[in-house]
Each structure stands twice: as C-alpha cells, then as structure tokens.
C-alpha cells in the first residue's frame, strides 16, 4: 500500500494558536460539493467551512459567516446567520415515524431529515405510504432549537417504480424535472404559421425551395439544425446553415423564457432528457421535421475553393427540410453504399441530396485543414452510452466516435457559429460569446511531465506544449493517433485545458484557434444560443437591446456556464450508475484496461470494451509498499521498483460494484 506520512508527535512549542479576535461578518453563498465538504463564496474570496460550522444553513443559502484563522493556515468560515433560503421544495423518501412523518431528502447535500406534523393532512390527501418518493415543501426551516418541518406537495411514486439512484442524482444536482403551469399553458398556445410570419415580417426570406436536410443521431427527437450546400461553377462553395427560430416564440421575460433562463440547457441523462423548453416547442413547433414548414434563422456562407469563409449573410427565414437522415446512414453512403439513403430520402430529391452530401464532405475536409493550420486543437473523444431495455435495465454499451458524417455537420456548425460571432463582435455587441482561454503554463507542464516519463511525448514537443504552443499540441495528438498512447495523451492534455465559459464580450476561443466564437446552432437545448439569436435579430433590424437585458447579461452568462457544468456532471453520474449496474452481473470477469489516472489510493482504469472507469485500489497491488510519484503520476514499489503509471496496460477483473455511487472496483489479474 502507499506509504503514510510518519506522525512526529505534538510539541508544546509547535501547537497552533487559534485567533480569538472576532472577525467582521462576510456575506456569501454556501455551496456543498458533497456531504461534509462545503465552501462559502464571498466578494472577499471563497472559504472552506469549518468542521461543524454549517449550523442550520443549507446548500445554496445566502449566509453571513465569521472567519476563524489559525496561525499559518487559511481561515475557515463559520455560519452565523442565514439571510436567504435557496431551497423551498425537495425530492425525498417518506417514512412513517409514529405520530410524525419523516422525509429524507434524496439530495445528499441536504444533510438533515424533515418532519411532517401529525395535524398535517397532506399525507392522507396525496395517498402517501411508507417508502414513497414525494415532493416536500419546507414550512419551517431548522434552527438550533427546533427541527425542520415540511408538508407533502405531491406523491411522485413508489421506490419500486422509480430508479432511485438516478432520481437521487437528479435531486443532488438540482435539475428541474417539471415545467411551471404558466410555461406549459403558454407553450400550448404556440403553433407554426409560416405564411403569417412571412406576411408580418417583410425581412423574413421564403427558403422553402432551398434544398436542405437534417442529420442527427438515429434516436434524436429534436432537430434544431438543417444544412444545405452546393459547389459553384468557379470551384467555390455556398454553405447554408438553418437553425430553429426559437427566439421568435420565446420572448424575453415570458413564462417559457424565465424557466429556460433558470434551466439554461437540456440535461441528457442515461434514461431521459430533461429539456430546457416544453415538449411542445422542442419536439414539435421548433423541431425542423422533414416536409414541414418551420421558422428558422439562416446563415448563408460563401467559401473559397480552399474552404476559406469569404463572407456570410444572416436572415430570418422559413424552410422545409427534405429529409431526416441519421449519422449511420450518411456514413454508410460516404463509405460506398449508394442505397444507404434510399429509405428516407424522397425519390424526387434523392439524387440532389446525395450530391449535396458529397459537397458537404468536401467542405468538411477543407475546413478541417484550415482549422489545423490556424492552430485549432481537436482532441479525440469517444462518446459512450449505456443501452437500456424497456425496464431501464442496462443491456449493453454503445460507443460512438467522430466520423465523416458527424464531422461534416460539426464543421458546418462551427462555420456558422464563427460567422455569427464575427457579425456581432464587429459591431461591438454584447451577447453570449463562447470564450476559451489559453491554459496556464503550470497546468500544461503538469500534464506533459508524466507523458514524457512514459515515452508518449518527446521532450522538445513537451517543452513547447508547456509554453502554450498550439502547433506542438497538434503534433503531440497526431503522433499518438492510432497508438496505445492515444487515449491517455488526449485525456491528459484535455484536462490541462481551461473550461470554456460564456461571457458578454468576445475574447476568442483558444482550442478552436478562433478570434470570435459563439453558440448559435442549438437554441432548443442551450439558452446562450437564444441570447445570440436575439442579438442577431436586433442587428438585422437595426435595434438595440433593452437596459434590462444588458444589465442581466453578465449574471445570465455566469449561470449558463455553471448550469452547463451541472448538467454535464449529472449526465456522467447517471451513465456511471448504469455502467456499475451493467457490471453487477459480470463480477469476476477478466478484461484489459489502460491506466488513465493515478492517485495515492490507487489506479483509475479505463476498460477496453466499454470505456468504463474502474478503481484498482493500491491495497490490491500486492503486499509491498508503493510510493506515489506525483510528478510522473506513478505508483512505484519500494522493494521491487515495480511501477504502475498512466498509459500502462493491465489485466483486471471486476471485483465489486457500488451502483448508487456509480463505482466499479477492480482487482489485478496476475
């Protein structure tokens, strides 16, 4: 096992003195990352919460704290007062506790139980029984002298009928599962009327005769982008990207807008989608379904014969998609199966659609080359999805990699996003730009050091990466493509990157090598795209944003960045839960994996077949002591020198799972 730090005992002269001086109260927001671990974010800085310092506060509350400082150590926060409560309702499990009822929150960050008083009729009114999942509304918050009290708002279902591990994850990340009545009522009144839209807006272009198609995963339900292209006689290209005109239906401060602004994005969980917009909009009115008129925001781009964007024009439009194709169909066609599109492409348009797909693929290749030359960094990624049966039980794992079909759509969307961002930034318009900063030299150096140690990178390439040379990043990724090092090199260098965020002003996008970038192409599932659409519409009309919208923009961008992280984390957590459930019936099976992470307590192994992550604890590596080398991310046997480092290959077996935590435990196969 890893060597523990030797305890050198306590010495009277070395004892730390805690300051007794009272500190000024600071106001901030309390955040629990997991039970027992909390911070308070204040204008003066972010402080960890002292042990037992939470008192009656709860996750998300606005609180006043005092700081306790120890000599030579970072001050810790103690909650003194709760100013504003963040949680009014929560999802929990009801238990019969004699004369009282008790509700235990599914959100692990709410670290207390709540009681239903004997005189409260809500339990009987909603037919709630022992073990049922309920929505509870807090009527009395906990104090130092009294317990917390709730009333039952709604019975969700019995624990036997629900996947409690997924439900707990949804609750823990605070994801909304239902829409307010006002938003649903507004959505029901919305309908598509293309002719009316054309009559009322003289600037809206009728593009229904313009050939365009949608290409999405086979199981997609909402289609927010359509593409079209042609090659001109002089060798140049015309590329069209049409995006659902969500902003036409979702007006600022309307009930749907307020809910979308709170959610900020759709969450794609293992067994469901929690949409940003009501189903009437995302799966019907705004979905670019084939052979149906739809309102859109269209961008027409002129590309040179080498793929360079020469100019772009944006417009409000009405379109009619000719076909709904899947990535698999398009890939099959591009690989030589001439009949791959025949089942979905209308006979009258089949020939033109096939020709257009060929043009789109030419544009893809040219745009990839241009982005590479300007320093764009494309990390290899693999998307894994657990396949569930009709009872939500895992039956397999689907692995999706980047293909020509996904690439031709991705390049069209990137071109449209860049074109729109340039339009807005050239007029100094505030909006929701997608900003990606250059990674710090420190994080890059930490990433490349173990890659050099394992022989995956040459020292000169690593030193250039450490100073932020994008060309060196490209060289590194190209050099390991198709080798056993590819996965770990991509993962290490990707971890070193800063996370892209939304900001009201343009600051460029490092990874894409773009001077200006925004998200314009998915307004059904991302609120920043809706903001960009509104900004673009005002630009086309010569209008300016209201003072209310501009003043709210910084907070909206910040919330969108934060909620995006939550939705992504929740999606990963639910995938892990189902992966653990999948391996529950495969205990003892042996397989190969790659060491993708190394810590003092063990090795993180990515399994070959499913790309699932498992933990091989250091105690299971044998009886000798292992020393953790943080610089090279390796565990080294103290007696034998046996070394396990990232990138290494190991044969392991499934030794156990914890489904609730989405954890897979591995054992070494000698």
């Amino acid at each position: 096992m890893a060597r523990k730090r030797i305890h050198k005992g306590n010495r009277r002269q070395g004892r730390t003195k805690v300051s007794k001086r009272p500190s000024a109260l600071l106001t901030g927001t309390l955040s629990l990352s997991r039970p027992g671990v909390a911070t308070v974010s204040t204008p003066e800085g972010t402080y960890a919460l002292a042990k037992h310092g939470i008192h009656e506060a709860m996750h998300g509350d606005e609180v006043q704290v005092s700081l306790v400082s120890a000599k030579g150590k970072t001050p810790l926060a103690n909650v003194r007062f709760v100013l504003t409560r963040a949680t009014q309702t929560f999802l929990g499990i009801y238990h019969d506790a004699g004369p009282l009822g008790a509700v235990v929150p599914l959100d692990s960050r709410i670290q207390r139980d709540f009681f239903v008083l004997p005189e409260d009729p809500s339990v009987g009114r909603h037919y709630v029984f022992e073990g049922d999942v309920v929505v509870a509304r807090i009527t009395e918050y906990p104090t130092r002298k009294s317990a917390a009290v709730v009333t039952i708002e709604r019975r969700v279902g019995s624990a036997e009928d629900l996947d409690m591990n997924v439900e707990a994850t949804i609750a823990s990340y605070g994801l909304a599962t239902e829409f307010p009545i006002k938003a649903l009522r507004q959505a029901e009144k919305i309908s598509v009327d293309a002719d009316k839209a054309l009559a009322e807006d003289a600037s809206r272009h009728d593009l229904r005769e313009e050939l365009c198609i949608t290409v999405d995963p086979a199981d997609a339900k909402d289609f927010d982008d359509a593409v079209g292209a042609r090659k001109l006689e002089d060798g140049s290209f015309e590329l069209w990207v049409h995006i659902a005109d969500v902003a036409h239906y979702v007006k600022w401060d309307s009930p749907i807008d307020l809910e979308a602004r709170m959610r900020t994005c759709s969450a794609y969980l293992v067994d469901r989608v929690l949409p940003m917009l009501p189903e009437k909009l995302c799966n019907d009115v705004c979905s670019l379904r084939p052979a149906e008129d739809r309102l859109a925001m269209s961008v027409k781009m002129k590309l040179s014969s080498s793929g360079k964007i020469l100019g772009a024009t944006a417009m409000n439009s009405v379109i009619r998609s000719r076909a709904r194709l899947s990535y698999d169909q398009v890939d099959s066609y591009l690989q030589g199966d001439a009949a791959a599109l025949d089942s979905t492409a209308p006979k009258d348009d089949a020939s033109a659609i096939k020709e257009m797909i060929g043009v789109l693929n030419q544009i893809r290749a040219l745009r990839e080359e241009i982005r590479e030359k300007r320093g764009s960094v494309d990390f290899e990624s693999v998307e894994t999805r657990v396949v569930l049966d009709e009872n939500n039980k895992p039956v397999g794992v689907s692995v999706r990699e980047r293909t020509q079909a996904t690439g031709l759509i991705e390049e069209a969307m990137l071109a449209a996003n860049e074109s729109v961002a340039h339009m807005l930034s050239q007029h100094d318009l505030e909006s929701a730009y997608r900003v990606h900063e250059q990674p710090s030299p420190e994080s890059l150096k930490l990433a490349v050091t173990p890659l050099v140690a394992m022989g995956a990178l040459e020292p000169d390439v690593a030193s250039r990466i450490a100073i932020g040379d994008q060309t060196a990043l490209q060289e590194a990724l190209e050099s390991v493509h198709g080798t056993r090092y590819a996965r770990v090199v991509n993962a290490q260098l990707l971890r070193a990157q800063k996370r892209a965020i939304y900001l009201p002003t343009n600051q460029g996008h490092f990874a894409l090598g773009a001077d200006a970038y925004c998200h314009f192409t998915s307004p059904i599932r991302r609120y920043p795209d809706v903001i960009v659409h509104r900004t673009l519409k005002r630009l086309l009309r010569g209008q300016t944003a209201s003072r209310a919208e501009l003043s709210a923009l910084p907070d909206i961008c910040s919330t969108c960045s934060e909620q995006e992280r939550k939705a992504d984390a929740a999606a990963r957590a639910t995938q892990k839960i189902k992966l653990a459930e999948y391996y529950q019936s495969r205990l003892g099976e042996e397989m190969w994996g790659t060491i993708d992470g190394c810590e003092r307590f063990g090795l993180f192994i990515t399994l070959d077949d499913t790309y699932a992550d498992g933990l091989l604890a250091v105690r299971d590596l044998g009886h000798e002591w292992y020393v953790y080398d943080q610089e090279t991310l390796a565990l080294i046997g103290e007696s034998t020198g046996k070394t396990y480092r990232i990138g290494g290959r190991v044969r392991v077996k499934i030794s156990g799972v914890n489904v609730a935590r989405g954890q897979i435990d591995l054992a070494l196969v000698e």
Side-chain angles (χ1 to χ4, degrees), residues 214-257:
T214 63
V215 185
D216 294 278
D219 57 355
K221 294 180 180 179
D222 57 340
F223 316 121
D224 51 11
D225 58 80
V227 294
R230 62 172 60 92
K231 191 168 186 177
L232 305 179
E233 291 183 0
D234 62 358
S236 62
F237 298 91
E238 187 176 274
L239 173 63
W240 285 89
V241 170
H242 311 278
I243 307 300
D245 193 356
V246 173
H248 175 82
Y249 302 105
V250 181
K251 304 300 183 184
W252 172 261
D253 267 353
S254 65
I256 294 177
D257 179 62

Side-chain angles (χ1 to χ4, degrees), residues 25-244:
L25 295 182
L26 304 179
T27 300
T29 301
L30 178 67
S31 176
L32 275 78
S33 56
R34 60 181 186 274
V37 180
T39 58
V40 178
S41 298
T42 75
E44 291 79 7
T46 299
Y47 302 93
L49 207 65
K51 190 176 183 181
H52 307 304
I54 192 169
H55 299 301
E56 68 268 26
M58 296 165 59
H59 173 77
D61 288 350
E62 183 184 18
V63 296
Q64 282 191 329
V65 298
S66 60
L67 300 182
V68 178
S69 57
K71 187 177 180 181
K73 294 187 178 181
T74 304
L76 299 176
N78 270 306
V79 174
R80 299 291 298 277
F81 304 102
V82 177
L83 303 179
T84 307
R85 292 290 187 177
T87 303
Q88 285 80 44
T89 62
F90 64 87
L91 203 64
I93 300 177
Y94 176 80
H95 296 287
D96 191 348
L100 297 170
V103 180
V104 180
L106 288 179
D107 186 344
S108 60
R109 298 168 302 178
I110 304 178
Q111 298 175 278
R112 62 185 76 248
D113 296 343
F114 294 77
F115 296 98
V116 181
L117 299 178
E119 60 269 24
D120 187 341
S122 63
V123 174
R125 183 169 62 245
H126 295 291
Y127 302 99
V128 175
F129 296 95
E130 170 69 26
D132 282 351
V133 178
V134 298
V135 175
R137 176 170 292 280
I138 302 173
T139 58
E140 294 182 29
Y141 287 91
T143 69
R144 299 182 187 185
K145 296 182 179 180
S146 63
V149 178
V150 295
T151 186
I152 306 301
E153 276 205 344
R154 182 170 57 86
R155 178 182 181 272
V156 177
S158 68
E160 290 76 18
D161 298 333
L162 301 169
D163 192 323
M164 296 308 299
N165 293 317
V166 174
E167 296 293 341
T169 300
I170 293 171
S172 294
Y173 283 98
L175 302 180
T177 57
E178 295 185 349
F179 284 91
I181 295 297
K182 286 184 178 180
L184 292 175
R185 286 175 178 169
Q186 182 192 355
E188 284 305 312
K189 296 177 182 178
I190 295 174
S191 61
V192 179
D193 192 337
D195 292 329
K196 181 181 178 181
L198 286 168
E200 292 179 348
D201 183 1
S203 68
R204 189 174 289 274
H205 294 245
D206 188 346
L207 302 178
R208 287 176 286 191
E209 297 303 315
E210 188 71 36
L211 180 66
C212 67
I213 58 171
T214 63
V215 185
D216 294 278
D219 57 355
K221 294 180 180 179
D222 57 340
F223 316 121
D224 51 11
D225 58 80
V227 294
R230 62 172 60 92
K231 191 168 186 177
L232 305 179
E233 291 183 0
D234 62 358
S236 62
F237 298 91
E238 187 176 274
L239 173 63
W240 285 89
V241 170
H242 311 278
I243 307 300

Side-chain angles (χ1 to χ4, degrees), residues 146 244 273 519 535 666:
S146 63
V273 177
H519 279 161
T535 311
L666 305 173

